Amino acid sequence: MTATFTVLSPADGTPVAEVPEHGPEDVAAAAEALRQAQPEWEAMGFAERARWLRKYRDWLLDNETSLAKTLQSETGKPWFEATVEVPYVVEVINYYTKHGARFLADETPRPHNAITMTKRTQVLLRPYPLVGIITPWNFPLALALMDGVPALAAGAAVMVKPSEFTPLVTEAAVAGWAEIGAPPVLACLTGRGPTGAVVVDAVDFVQFTGSTRTGRVIAARAAERLVPVSLELGGKDAMVVLDDADVERAANAAVWGGMCNSGQMCTSVERVYVLEPVYDEFVSRVVATVRKLRQGRDDQNYRYDVGSLANDNQLSIVERHVQDAVAKGATVLAGGKRGASGTFYEPTVLVDVHHGMACMREETFGPVLPIMKVADVDEAVRLANDSGYGLSASVWGKDTARAEQVARRLEAGSVNVNDMFANLFALPVPQAGWKQSGLGYRNWGAAGLRKYCRPQAIVTARVTPAAEPIWYPYSPVKSRLVRKVMRFTMARGLLRRLGLR
Ligand code: NAD
């Protein structure tokens, strides 16, 4: 009998469901079945795969509410946030099905030298047969499918291993793929870390989203197996507020960027640097807005803005960061303590913070906004870059040319100017973590599909004499001829081409 584990509601700790703990045999059997189905999936061509993906999009939309309810039951998200993941995935399907044929088209490079003059050269994009997608708990549906959809579109089969804290909505969404009668190239395997490790050993490409700690373990194992990995890891995103910022918009963005999903976004605002002239106004606006946030266990009628944290471990990290900051001199202007029940932590604003505090250096992943006053742009840039992470950042200033100049100085894979998380909705740009925030990227237009492909060169002779001049037997005459032709076509300047100098 397959072992199981219990999924708990983070809002009140009650059990939500029992889920199989898939072991090595289950993963091996699933991998075998996926590998069997994949060649036909690839061979049917992009147009046919796109047809299945569009059908799946319709299924996701038809089941949007029930998926959101499942997601809410295991994440504790407010209803507003529980309902954004299906539309996100729908947009990913629309984007890749619209442009995918062009992104995956064969290339036929022109000949560039004498040898290739008589050949037909083609580059094909052939998918990795089996892509493994391992996901965290913060966006369980979106993170599984925003990577799963381009991998499927590219012609790969996909095995998803969702987080043990939030497997239910991923399981339900993958069941939809079978429900529409699509080829059996998408499977969900549930379990904890060891199941993920077995998945890493079973696939040809690992797409991982999660902590930097686990990413490092996965990358080391993938290196041993010589399979590629793409890692989307943690962050410590900085927000830089310049002295000409629209302070009201920046403050609203800081509160949303810091508290959205209870601060459990890889791209959450985790630290804010505000230039001295606008610091007081910025802080007072942030505090006023945070104090108005409604926190609680939501149902389906939008009563709350902020939900619980995802689990006890997350709660203790947040608590430790705030306690460490206070012990080192920080002032709490809002929140600062856990809620009455479940894994709630009050939306918190900290000032008088510095880089000796955990809340400014480690990923907090909770509803905590530490704000620091800085003297000038150089100090803001220096502090923003003083981090092991480099996922994303934002810069706020009415002079957008100046703000963009500041953006160029930041060590982060994405920078939004006068906006929050806007890059996440722009599929033609990459989401790429720098430094400890990742390896590789997702999206970036054609590259977002091509990353799941191995390039295959096919070079075909168009002229077929019995033997080519560079084949056996070697002779002085042939050698002189070949060298003369090579030199004539490769050298620059007539005298050099003719071998006269
Ligand atoms: P985690 O690393 O603990 O777990 C992520 C997944 O890895 C889970 O499914 C887990 O079961 C699996 N896993 C654990 N050990 C494994 C192993 N040895 N081999 C294979 N799989 C293993 O991360 P988490 O706590 O679930 O998620 C939070 C983290 O995710 C944060 O650091 C956050 O910043 C990051 N994140 C990053 C992005 C991004 O796009 N950069 C997006 C969302 C979340």
Side-chain angles (χ1 to χ4, degrees):
M1 220 183 69
T2 309
T4 60
F5 62 96
T6 309
V7 178
L8 302 174
S9 159
D12 59 12
T14 54
V16 180
E18 282 294 309
V19 177
E21 176 100 55
H22 288 120
E25 293 83 26
D26 304 305
V27 173
E32 166 76 18
L34 290 165
R35 285 185 187 284
Q36 269 183 19
Q38 186 273 331
E40 201 177 320
W41 176 245
E42 179 186 353
M44 73 174 55
F46 182 79
E48 198 54 16
R49 294 198 296 274
R51 197 179 65 76
W52 281 115
L53 285 165
R54 289 196 194 98
K55 204 166 172 190
Y56 187 48
R57 169 198 62 198
D58 297 343
W59 182 91
L60 289 169
L61 287 169
D62 294 348
N63 292 275
E64 190 179 8
T65 302
S66 93
L67 289 167
K69 280 184 187 167
T70 304
L71 188 147
Q72 189 181 46
S73 72
E74 59 185 348
T75 58
K77 292 188 192 221
W79 188 237
F80 193 99
E81 292 173 4
T83 53
V84 296
E85 299 199 29
V86 166
Y88 192 93
V89 174
V90 164
E91 177 53 16
V92 171
I93 295 177
N94 285 343
Y95 179 73
Y96 284 113
T97 54
K98 181 172 178 196
H99 301 286
R102 183 164 51 84
F103 291 166
L104 293 175
D106 295 352
E107 291 171 15
T108 49
R110 289 166 60 83
H112 64 99
N113 60 20
I115 291 179
T116 53
M117 205 82 79
T118 58
K119 320 290 175 199
R120 193 153 74 94
T121 49
Q122 302 173 78
V123 183
L124 276 53
L125 294 165
R126 303 281 313 280
Y128 289 96
L130 182 53
V131 170
I133 296 180
I134 301 175
T135 58
W137 39 258
N138 58 343
F139 289 91
L141 180 68
L143 285 166
L145 292 179
M146 69 202 274
D147 293 318
V149 164
L152 287 169
V158 172
M159 177 184 280
V160 184
K161 207 302 275 170
S163 165
E164 53 272 41
F165 294 103
T166 55
L168 303 176
V169 73
T170 315
E171 257 190 333
V174 170
W177 183 257
E179 202 176 306
I180 60 167
V185 288
L186 177 63
C188 174
L189 276 297
T190 51
R192 288 171 257 225
T195 307
V198 181
V199 170
V200 172
D201 278 354
V203 299
D204 308 305
F205 183 109
V206 185
Q207 171 64 49
F208 173 73
T209 308
S211 65
T212 299
R213 177 181 37 80
T214 310
R216 211 174 263 127
V217 173
I218 289 178
R221 181 62 194 144
E224 276 171 7
R225 294 195 56 233
L226 280 184
V227 298
V229 286
S230 181
L231 306 174
E232 304 292 334
L233 308 177
K236 190 71 195 168
D237 284 8
M239 173 172 187
V240 174
V241 183
L242 301 175
D243 44 9
D244 66 338
D246 174 339
V247 179
E248 186 179 6
R249 179 172 167 85
N252 287 338
V255 175
W256 185 59
M259 307 303 172
C260 175
N261 209 36
S262 298
Q264 301 169 117
M265 283 182 73
C266 50
T267 53
S268 290
V269 176
E270 292 245 340
R271 35 195 189 118
V272 190
Y273 303 99
V274 189
L275 262 63
E276 200 270 328
V278 291
Y279 175 83
D280 288 341
E281 185 191 349
F282 179 85
V283 171
S284 68
R285 282 186 183 276
V286 164
V287 171
T289 309
V290 167
R291 288 195 179 136
K292 283 191 222 137
L293 291 175
R294 302 158 304 166
Q295 184 177 39
R297 183 188 173 151
D298 211 359
D299 39 31
Q300 281 93 52
N301 58 8
Y302 306 100
R303 276 195 303 154
Y304 294 106
D305 306 304
V306 183
S308 60
L309 289 162
N311 51 52
D312 284 331
N313 185 40
Q314 225 24 72
L315 181 61
S316 50
I317 294 172
V318 173
E319 206 160 41
R320 175 169 65 78
H321 283 195
V322 174
Q323 282 167 359
D324 168 79
V326 171
K328 290 173 179 162
T331 307
V332 178
L333 294 184
K337 58 183 190 309
R338 55 167 77 199
S341 65
T343 54
F344 289 95
Y345 196 91
E346 292 180 354
T348 297
V349 180
L350 300 174
V351 293
D352 305 323
V353 291
H354 57 72
H355 275 215
M357 297 173 179
C359 71
M360 298 301 277
R361 305 209 69 92
E362 298 170 26
E363 187 180 42
T364 305
F365 226 53
V368 178
L369 208 53
I371 309 174
M372 199 170 163
K373 188 194 294 185
V374 290
D376 54 28
V377 172
D378 286 347
E379 187 182 11
V381 170
R382 182 176 59 75
L383 288 168
N385 289 341
D386 178 23
S387 172
Y389 291 107
L391 190 56
S392 48
S394 63
V395 182
W396 301 78
K398 284 186 186 140
D399 179 347
T400 50
R402 175 180 174 234
E404 283 180 10
Q405 282 306 320
V406 175
R408 284 167 184 266
R409 295 172 62 192
L410 297 181
E411 293 166 7
S414 310
V415 187
N416 289 296
V417 174
N418 292 327
D419 222 328
M420 185 53 60
F421 306 149
N423 66 305
L424 301 178
F425 300 94
L427 302 181
V429 305
Q431 282 177 37
W434 290 10
K435 302 200 256 186
Q436 306 288 301
S437 289
L439 197 63
Y441 51 83
R442 63 160 64 94
N443 297 329
W444 198 6
L449 278 193
R450 292 175 171 199
K451 69 183 259 191
Y452 294 112
C453 296
R454 303 164 295 181
Q456 183 178 41
I458 297 191
V459 179
T460 309
R462 286 188 299 177
V463 181
T464 55
E468 297 280 340
I470 58 172
W471 296 1
Y472 296 136
Y474 293 155
S475 75
V477 174
K478 267 170 65 175
S479 172
R480 271 197 292 278
L481 181 69
V482 167
R483 289 173 63 201
K484 273 197 163 37
V485 172
M486 303 280 261
R487 187 175 183 115
F488 187 79
T489 57
M490 290 173 177
R492 295 293 171 265
L494 187 61
L495 293 179
R496 260 205 198 86
R497 278 177 191 262
L498 295 173
L500 298 176
R501 57 176 288 202

